[in-house]
Amino acid sequence: MRELTVAAIQMKMADDVSVNVATAERLVRDAAKRGARLILIPELFEGLYFCTDQLAEHMNRARPLEGHPTIAHFATVARELGVVLPVSFFERANNAAFNSVAVIDADGSVLGIYRKSHIPDGPGYSEKYYFNPGDTGFRVWDTAVGRVGIGICWDQWFPECTRVLALRGAEIILYPTAIGSEPHDSTWDSSRHWQRVMQGHAGANLVPVVAANRFGVEKGQQHELTFYGTSFIAGPTGEIVTEAGRDDETVLTATFDLDAVAELRHGWGVFRDRRPELYRPLWSLDGQDD
Amino acid sequence: MRELTVAAIQMKMADDVSVNVATAERLVRDAAKRGARLILIPELFEGLYFCTDQLAEHMNRARPLEGHPTIAHFATVARELGVVLPVSFFERANNAAFNSVAVIDADGSVLGIYRKSHIPDGPGYSEKYYFNPGDTGFRVWDTAVGRVGIGICWDQWFPECTRVLALRGAEIILYPTAIGSEPHDSTWDSSRHWQRVMQGHAGANLVPVVAANRFGVEKGQQHELTFYGTSFIAGPTGEIVTEAGRDDETVLTATFDLDAVAELRHGWGVFRDRRPELYRPLWSLDGQDD
């Protein structure tokens, strides 16, 4: 029996890095107090979701991993609390820029980074303007609490991402997120669609999935977005174990026996019965197999 | 606007081919009366689920596509009613045997066959004893009612199957099924897990998904299985549109505007943002990428 308590933090962002870092730290400490040893903060929590607009000045928000003050700060927090803490950040890498996550282990060491592979684009979500498509591939992290897989927001819509992480032995998969309303259609609410797709990933791969979203209204120059919260933790059959409201600061926690999950996963047989030789069309954009 | 009404048939099987064919035909006619033009009968509906045991004599149930009496019968029914009718059957192909589906178009012509790719094995579900792993790959069918993708039962647990069908332009995806209790653990009920995984496929690929299951208790020599019904039709965000009970003969129907679904699918952007060059590990069994 190998029990892990995981936490998802749901928070509202201010237009001030130090305020957001302080809020995240307070909630991380709260999660640790409740026994969480793996804690997920939402995507790009250092500030407002600047991708609402396409403004060159926002490029100045990008910082290299080396000497990144927020990552250095949370490395200290992680070491003090003995928790694994993935930290989402806007990464400058020479002339490239990425939507990245730095993975901080429970001893405060930075294990490395993952760069978001799938970059969305649409009214209010102009990420293709800011971010290069990530070049790291899908990575798993051998942390103090187990092997952790991490995708970032839009990655969560792609079964290929979750599957690769699961094939590589991820015991739990995390998605820091920033998602809300569609400014061109005020009746559109993707929150259940968003949850169901990740519940499907959890169920298909028999691995718990954690999504941490922001909440609150954020006003850009072009669009106003209402981030819808509804952060959740799903168990290995895709069941929702715990879920936040749409408009609440929340620390969700759930406890899994990773050995029992592995037994369920291996007993169910899907990883025994895959047919890679038939999956060649996945390598194409239009379903061709050559 | 291109409206399609699809139907899923849920039925109990008898140990008599002619009885099952008559029941299926009655329900197909009922579905057609309700406006369905694409009708899904459950997996291996000609008989009891013989894979409960491992008995060489059950191999005699396999029949070649050529001259198959049940397929010929339903080709006549399909032509008369003007409906597309995939027919699941145990296929003899020289010394190989497959769990196959013959796709009958609305004019009664047989468009071809798909052979189940993923073959399960476990207490009560000894399919590896009977079936060769399918060699057709994942196929889509240009029918009178649109482009249809079909997987068979266990295939429904594999995101790779659905994704290939969707990449190849499937507008709706069908899964004839036979699933129920786990005889080694009477407390185990996979029905919601089963639904959630397919809801995830629907949501991730923005395509409706239809699952038709059998119901009722079937007693083999080794094991007794209770097939749990709960057939359903999910819409393109993974929402359950209609669902059957666990123990009822049922004809489920749902109507989709395939043009609206395509607009939703293309507008959402996931098929624009895939990164095939990062999906190489999907070709392996253990997540390696070479």
Side-chain angles (χ1 to χ4, degrees), chain A residues 272-273, chain B residues 116-121 127-128 131-134 154:
Chain A
R272 175 198 62 201
D273 295 335
Chain B
K116 186 173 182 172
S117 302
H118 302 97
I119 308 297
D121 206 47
E127 296 200 16
K128 288 195 196 298
F131 307 127
N132 290 73
W154 193 233

Side-chain angles (χ1 to χ4, degrees), chain B residues 123-167:
Chain B
Y125 300 89
S126 289
E127 296 200 16
K128 288 195 196 298
Y129 177 79
Y130 295 102
F131 307 127
N132 290 73
D135 59 355
T136 55
F138 308 109
R139 304 185 66 182
V140 294
W141 306 94
D142 284 317
T143 73
V145 302
R147 187 170 286 189
V148 177
I150 306 177
I152 301 174
C153 199
W154 193 233
D155 287 330
Q156 68 211 168
W157 293 89
F158 296 80
E160 295 91 341
C161 167
T162 330
R163 189 59 128 192
V164 171
L165 293 173
L167 284 170

Side-chain angles (χ1 to χ4, degrees), chain A residues 6-267:
Chain A
V6 59
I9 283 171
Q10 176 167 303
M11 57 184 276
K12 191 179 192 310
M13 307 314 168
D15 191 15
D16 182 325
V17 177
S18 63
V19 169
N20 295 325
V21 167
T23 303
E25 182 180 341
R26 172 171 54 80
L27 297 170
V28 164
R29 289 180 181 279
D30 183 15
K33 238 174 247 156
R34 299 200 214 167
R37 295 209 59 214
L38 171 63
I39 304 174
L40 183 61
I41 307 170
E43 185 187 22
L44 298 173
F45 67 100
E46 289 186 289
L48 299 180
Y49 181 71
F50 53 86
C51 312
T52 306
D53 297 308
Q54 298 183 336
L55 292 172
E57 67 195 62
H58 288 323
M59 288 293 191
N60 298 325
R61 295 168 179 247
R63 297 270 177 283
L65 171 67
E66 184 85 15
H68 194 291
T70 299
I71 295 169
H73 177 75
F74 280 106
T76 309
V77 173
R79 186 171 55 241
E80 178 199 332
L81 301 175
V83 300
V84 177
L85 206 53
V87 171
S88 164
F89 70 111
F90 184 13
E91 182 192 5
R92 170 61 54 202
N94 297 324
N95 286 313
F98 298 99
N99 185 331
S100 300
V101 68
V103 183
I104 305 174
D105 205 355
D107 63 0
S109 61
V110 176
L111 298 178
I113 58 166
Y114 164 68
R115 291 167 169 167
K116 185 173 182 170
S117 303
H118 301 99
I119 308 296
D121 207 47
Y125 299 89
S126 288
E127 295 201 16
K128 287 194 198 296
Y129 178 79
Y130 295 102
F131 307 127
N132 290 72
D135 59 354
T136 55
F138 309 109
R139 304 185 67 182
V140 294
W141 307 94
D142 283 319
T143 74
V145 302
R147 186 170 287 188
V148 177
I150 306 177
I152 301 175
C153 199
W154 193 233
D155 287 330
Q156 68 211 169
W157 293 89
F158 296 81
E160 295 91 342
C161 168
T162 329
R163 189 59 129 191
V164 172
L165 293 173
L167 285 170
R168 291 182 161 175
E171 297 179 287
I172 187 164
I173 294 176
L174 313 180
Y175 292 106
T177 300
I179 192 168
S181 57
E182 300 296 325
H184 61 298
D185 181 352
S186 63
T187 67
W188 193 334
D189 176 8
S190 66
S191 62
R192 295 296 158 191
H193 185 187
W194 174 75
Q195 287 187 336
R196 284 189 291 258
V197 169
M198 280 179 281
Q199 290 179 260
H201 297 334
N205 295 286
L206 295 109
V207 64
V209 165
V210 183
N213 191 17
R214 63 176 66 199
F215 72 94
V217 178
E218 298 188 17
K219 210 172 158 43
Q221 291 186 359
Q222 293 272 335
H223 299 292
E224 181 180 281
L225 291 187
T226 304
F227 293 92
Y228 53 56
T230 65
S231 302
F232 68 95
I233 302 175
T237 71
E239 77 282 13
I240 299 240
V241 175
T242 180
E243 178 185 5
R246 296 179 69 94
D247 212 24
D248 315 284
E249 187 177 279
T250 311
V251 176
L252 297 175
T253 64
T255 302
F256 298 100
D257 175 353
L258 298 182
D259 286 337
V261 171
E263 187 177 315
L264 177 71
R265 182 166 56 244
H266 300 148

Side-chain angles (χ1 to χ4, degrees), chain A residues 117-118 128 134 154 158 160 163 168 193 196 203 237 268 270 273-276 279-280 282-284 287, chain B residues 117-118 128 133-134 154 158 160 163 168 193 196 203 237 268 270 273-276 279-280 282-284 287:
Chain A
S117 303
H118 301 99
K128 287 194 198 296
W154 193 233
F158 296 81
E160 295 91 342
R163 189 59 129 191
R168 291 182 161 175
H193 185 187
R196 284 189 291 258
T237 71
W268 197 241
V270 287
D273 295 335
R274 292 177 69 252
R275 300 284 310 277
Y279 302 158
R280 196 182 171 101
L282 296 174
W283 255 21
S284 72
Chain B
S117 302
H118 302 97
K128 288 195 196 298
W154 193 233
F158 296 80
E160 295 91 341
R163 189 59 128 192
R168 291 183 161 175
H193 186 189
R196 284 189 292 257
T237 71
W268 197 240
V270 287
D273 296 335
R274 292 177 71 250
R275 301 284 311 278
Y279 302 159
R280 196 182 170 101
L282 296 175
W283 255 24
S284 72

Side-chain angles (χ1 to χ4, degrees), chain B residues 35-186:
Chain B
R37 296 209 58 214
L38 172 63
I39 304 173
L40 183 61
I41 307 170
E43 184 188 21
L44 298 173
F45 67 100
E46 288 185 290
L48 299 181
Y49 181 70
F50 54 86
C51 313
T52 307
D53 297 307
Q54 299 183 335
L55 293 172
E57 66 195 61
H58 289 324
M59 288 293 190
N60 298 323
R61 295 169 180 245
R63 297 269 177 284
L65 171 67
E66 184 85 15
H68 194 291
T70 300
I71 296 169
H73 177 75
F74 279 105
T76 310
V77 173
R79 185 172 57 239
E80 180 200 328
L81 301 175
V83 300
V84 177
L85 206 52
V87 171
S88 164
F89 70 111
F90 184 14
E91 183 193 3
R92 168 62 54 204
N94 297 324
N95 287 312
F98 299 99
N99 185 330
S100 300
V101 67
V103 184
I104 304 174
D105 206 355
D107 63 359
S109 60
V110 176
L111 297 178
I113 58 168
Y114 164 69
R115 291 167 168 167
K116 186 173 182 172
S117 302
H118 302 97
I119 308 297
D121 206 47
Y125 300 89
S126 289
E127 296 200 16
K128 288 195 196 298
Y129 177 79
Y130 295 102
F131 307 127
N132 290 73
D135 59 355
T136 55
F138 308 109
R139 304 185 66 182
V140 294
W141 306 94
D142 284 317
T143 73
V145 302
R147 187 170 286 189
V148 177
I150 306 177
I152 301 174
C153 199
W154 193 233
D155 287 330
Q156 68 211 168
W157 293 89
F158 296 80
E160 295 91 341
C161 167
T162 330
R163 189 59 128 192
V164 171
L165 293 173
L167 284 170
R168 291 183 161 175
E171 298 180 286
I172 186 163
I173 295 176
L174 313 181
Y175 293 106
T177 300
I179 192 169
S181 57
E182 301 295 326
H184 60 299
D185 181 351
S186 64

Side-chain angles (χ1 to χ4, degrees), chain B residues 4-8 36-39 172 174 210 233 252-256:
Chain B
L4 169 64
T5 299
V6 59
R37 296 209 58 214
L38 172 63
I39 304 173
I172 186 163
L174 313 181
V210 183
I233 302 175
L252 298 174
T253 64
T255 302
F256 298 100

